[in-house]
Amino acid sequence: MNAQQNAYVLPFGLHQVLELERISVSPTGEQRGQGADFYAFVFDLGQEDAVNAFGGTPTEAVAKVLSLLGKSYVLADANELNSDAAVAAIQFALDNGEGMSFLRLWNQGDFDVIRSEWPEAPEEVFIGADPLHKPSK
């Protein structure tokens, strides 16, 4: 398993969790709204080491599996994510020769890589997008 120390931001970083933690998600076939619409699971070393959980959404099921694995995560309402950070990230990318690489990393939540490769990136690209960002002001 991945030894990542940063908290995952769900649902924003759901794709990262699935890839890095090797979690699979499937619909259960249960009636919608019963709280067990999706099944998330990960097999660590074999079937006997399986960790699994049910949830009303893929994000909810994955969050429960992360809890069972002792991994940290933050549930964020996608509507509450700061759109100003996205605008700042896009503007910075447009003004930068490596803009697409920057945006890919920003979209994947690889903020530590961004800080090391683009130290000139404005703080606004992190505010509201990076849950571990500590404002300088």
Side-chain angles (χ1 to χ4, degrees):
M1 292 289 152
N2 178 358
Q4 179 173 341
Q5 298 300 313
N6 294 335
Y8 292 111
V9 180
L10 299 175
F12 183 71
L14 188 59
H15 63 286
Q16 274 187 312
V17 176
L18 298 178
E19 178 185 348
L20 296 174
E21 300 299 335
R22 303 189 47 82
I23 296 174
S24 298
V25 179
S26 297
T28 62
E30 296 291 320
Q31 279 189 340
R32 285 190 169 172
Q34 301 302 312
D37 300 333
F38 292 91
Y39 174 66
F41 56 94
V42 61
F43 296 114
D44 197 8
L45 300 173
Q47 187 130 0
E48 65 278 358
D49 296 323
V51 175
N52 58 68
F54 294 94
T57 65
T59 297
E60 188 179 297
V62 168
K64 289 178 181 178
V65 167
L66 287 173
S67 289
L68 293 170
L69 292 172
K71 304 285 181 169
S72 56
Y73 67 91
V74 175
L75 286 174
D77 182 344
N79 296 326
E80 292 177 9
L81 291 175
N82 191 335
S83 63
D84 291 342
V87 171
I90 291 167
Q91 186 60 54
F92 180 76
L94 289 172
D95 296 338
N96 189 295
E98 297 287 320
M100 287 308 293
S101 297
F102 171 85
L103 279 179
R104 260 188 219 94
L105 291 167
W106 187 90
N107 187 52
Q108 294 170 355
D110 292 333
F111 300 110
D112 290 337
V113 174
I114 290 172
R115 283 186 189 87
S116 67
E117 293 187 21
W118 290 278
E120 72 280 12
E123 183 177 25
E124 290 77 17
V125 304
F126 304 107
I127 298 171
D130 180 0
L132 302 176
H133 174 70
K134 293 181 177 96
S136 63
K137 298 173 185 171

